[in-house]
Amino acid sequence: MNYLLISALLAFVVTASFSNSGRAAVSEETAIFGGGCFWCMEPPFEQMDGVTEVVVGYTGGSEEDAHYKKVSSGRTDHFEAVRVKYNPDIITYDELVETFWHQINPTDDGGQFADRGRHYQTAIFYSTEAQRLAAQESKKKLEQSKIFDKPIVTAILPAQPFYRAEEYHQDYYKKNVLHYSAYKTGSGREAFINQVWGKADKKGNHVYSKPSENELKKSLTPLQYDVTQNEGTEPPFKNEYWDNKEAGIYVDIVSGEPLFSSVDKFKSGTGWPSFTRPLEEDNIVEHRDRSLFMVRTEVRSAHADSHLGHVFEDGPPPTNLRYCINSAALKFIPVDQLEAEGYGDYLEIFN
């Protein structure tokens, strides 16, 4: 009897261990990025919640092995790269790709900053079809953002064998703090990031973009999805912000890009939030709308391409415009939460 009991317990432990290891494998995925010198690509990913491991190495080449002397001399066609393992329940692949863009100059086809050669070129290496599509969509959004005047040349390539770099390259920024800092500054990377991405991020510390379709369906209510994605219209007088008198700003419910301010909000009597002007004109796009047997001017957000509402020429001075906007397309940020939400630069308009 004891023997049977022990056997049963052992079988349970083995089965549970196999099941748990299976679940652990499923909860970890891999992303690979080539962003020039891999010393500079490791820290940004290691600082992200949900990232479990970052390793620097070589990939994308046809040779069956790679090491620093061979790759750095240009005798192989490998890229310097980082392999990022992450928990998709905590952080998304889209967020990793967004972080990748913020570390590089994606318009440079000859290397990165002071480092020249194929092994310093940029690339996103996809392991699945979902990663390929996400990378292509992210690249397209970056092109549409007009942050860069030149074409985006970062390649999107199928993942190939990844060769771990020599141990002295791993966590170089921790082992050689002074040399790493001097290198990042001297190479021109740090100044570029501060100039380009600092400018792009100055409002809300974020480059605004549209999440994937799956993420939208998870994060938006049915009404928010219908309004922003299907050009729907919510009922007048029965929506969240039509009569909101609190001071603050209104941002896109999809991307967070700043759109309107309570300073420019007025009571139009229509039952929808109405504004005389946008808070950020660059975040607003207007299109001719010929639906419902009439001609109107549709208003959409520039980065997320969300349908917001329409603009009419019957508003009060000084613009004589009425931006009639769906509450379901907006998120309101009160003045006392602007700093915490990353919109502190807008506090000045309320002083």
Side-chain angles (χ1 to χ4, degrees):
M1 180 66 70
N2 289 339
Y3 173 78
L4 291 176
L5 178 60
I6 291 172
S7 298
L9 288 171
L10 287 173
F12 173 79
V13 170
V14 171
T15 302
S17 298
F18 177 80
S19 176
N20 288 337
S21 65
R23 281 196 295 270
V26 169
S27 65
E28 187 174 72
E29 296 182 6
T30 300
I32 301 175
F33 304 101
C37 176
F38 47 33
W39 293 348
C40 298
M41 295 302 296
E42 192 176 17
F45 293 108
E46 286 196 339
Q47 296 165 8
M48 301 181 75
D49 291 338
V51 170
T52 57
E53 180 188 63
V54 183
V55 172
V56 302
Y58 317 101
T59 193
S62 55
E63 292 81 359
E64 294 184 359
D65 194 11
H67 55 78
Y68 185 69
K69 287 185 178 180
K70 197 172 182 180
V71 174
S72 62
S73 67
R75 287 182 287 142
T76 78
D77 50 358
H78 288 86
F79 294 72
E80 287 197 12
V82 289
R83 184 182 66 198
V84 182
K85 292 187 177 181
Y86 65 100
N87 185 338
D89 294 329
I90 300 175
I91 189 169
T92 66
Y93 183 72
D94 288 342
E95 290 175 296
L96 295 176
V97 174
E98 185 77 8
T99 297
F100 165 71
W101 293 128
H102 285 231
Q103 315 310 316
I104 66 169
N105 177 359
T107 69
D108 188 345
D109 61 1
Q112 283 293 282
F113 311 107
D115 300 313
R116 314 314 297 165
R118 171 182 165 81
H119 52 296
Y120 290 124
Q121 291 177 349
T122 60
I124 299 173
F125 297 93
Y126 61 87
S127 301
T128 66
E129 178 66 5
Q131 285 189 355
R132 183 183 72 83
L133 293 174
Q136 288 182 335
E137 181 64 20
S138 182
K139 182 177 178 179
K140 179 181 177 182
K141 290 175 182 175
L142 183 59
E143 291 170 335
Q144 293 174 340
S145 73
K146 305 299 183 184
I147 292 174
F148 299 97
D149 296 330
K150 299 177 181 178
I152 306 299
V153 298
T154 298
I156 299 175
L157 304 170
Q160 297 186 45
F162 182 92
Y163 301 99
R164 183 185 176 98
E166 296 78 358
E167 191 57 35
Y168 68 89
H169 285 303
Q170 309 298 331
D171 289 325
Y172 190 87
Y173 73 103
K174 294 179 181 178
K175 299 173 182 175
N176 301 276
V177 176
L178 294 178
H179 183 261
Y180 168 76
S181 298
Y183 166 76
K184 187 176 181 180
T185 300
S187 69
R189 185 187 293 260
E190 185 172 54
F192 178 88
I193 291 173
N194 291 336
Q195 179 182 355
V196 175
W197 291 113
K199 180 179 179 181
D201 293 356
K202 68 178 181 178
K203 300 297 186 182
N205 297 318
H206 186 68
V207 174
Y208 305 104
S209 62
K210 183 178 180 178
S212 67
E213 184 71 10
N214 287 337
E215 289 178 297
L216 286 176
K217 289 183 177 179
K218 290 179 182 178
S219 63
L220 299 180
T221 67
L223 177 60
Q224 290 169 341
Y225 185 90
D226 183 55
V227 167
T228 60
Q229 307 305 303
N230 299 326
E231 291 77 49
T233 301
E234 66 193 3
F237 302 104
K238 295 180 180 180
N239 54 78
E240 191 169 4
Y241 302 127
W242 77 273
D243 199 30
N244 182 33
K245 298 180 178 65
E246 192 174 356
I249 69 171
Y250 296 81
V251 304
D252 187 339
I253 190 66
V254 171
S255 65
E257 56 196 285
L259 300 172
F260 300 97
S261 165
S262 61
V263 174
D264 304 307
K265 191 172 186 288
F266 69 99
K267 189 173 182 178
S268 65
T270 62
W272 288 286
S274 299
F275 307 87
T276 57
R277 58 162 65 91
L279 176 58
E280 293 286 349
E281 291 186 0
D282 289 343
N283 291 343
I284 294 292
V285 177
E286 298 180 2
H287 296 288
R288 188 66 66 192
D289 179 5
R290 298 182 181 276
S291 63
L292 302 179
F293 306 102
M294 64 181 79
V295 179
R296 297 176 295 172
T297 301
E298 181 194 13
V299 178
R300 303 184 73 91
S301 62
H303 302 288
D305 192 35
S306 302
H307 170 73
L308 304 175
H310 294 83
V311 59
F312 303 92
E313 297 180 350
D314 58 6
T319 65
N320 297 320
L321 297 176
R322 172 172 59 93
Y323 285 85
C324 186
I325 308 298
N326 288 280
S327 290
L330 304 173
K331 177 183 177 181
F332 178 69
I333 313 293
V335 169
D336 61 1
Q337 294 180 26
L338 288 177
E339 193 71 51
E341 293 284 342
Y343 300 94
D345 285 341
Y346 291 104
L347 283 169
E348 61 186 17
I349 67 176
F350 299 98
N351 294 333

